[in-house]
Amino acid sequence: PACSAAANTCSSPASDLIDTDACGAVGATLRVTTDLVDAGLTWDAVPCGDLSAYGVFGATSYSAAFPSEWTLLGSPASTSWGDAISSEVVAYRVVSLDACGNPSAD
């Protein structure tokens, strides 16, 4: 809209849009491999116009309540993550994060 700097008014109404739509879920594409040192996680890319990263979470139990009992391990932009096997993490979960930080429902 055309604005007048002195009067600070606009010729058409201004509106702010709030992004409440999260990107799609990583879902069942999470794959975990192990060697003697690391657990390697990979997943399929989530097609989303405003995808900014993935949230990799870990827990000491598969039955831990998500997200309150899970720890954010990292936020890679790529579709892979490595975690030392010496950590206490035995369960992993990956969610997509959009540009506003909205996590996918997973």
Side-chain angles (χ1 to χ4, degrees):
C3 295
S4 168
N8 214 13
T9 61
C10 294
S11 59
S12 63
S15 65
D16 289 330
L17 299 177
I18 299 172
D19 181 2
T20 57
D21 296 326
C23 292
V26 171
T29 69
L30 178 62
R31 296 170 291 280
V32 180
T33 59
T34 61
D35 59 23
L36 296 176
V37 179
D38 296 315
L41 284 69
T42 58
W43 55 91
D44 293 346
V46 173
C48 182
D50 66 344
L51 178 74
S52 67
Y54 296 92
V56 179
F57 290 84
T60 57
S61 167
Y62 288 101
S63 60
F66 186 79
S68 62
E69 296 178 10
W70 291 68
T71 301
L72 179 63
L73 302 175
S75 300
S78 66
T79 57
S80 64
W81 179 260
D83 190 41
I85 288 181
S86 61
S87 77
E88 294 182 15
V89 172
V90 297
Y92 296 96
R93 181 175 281 193
V94 177
V95 298
S96 62
L97 301 170
D98 70 9
C100 291
N102 298 315
S104 60
D106 193 72

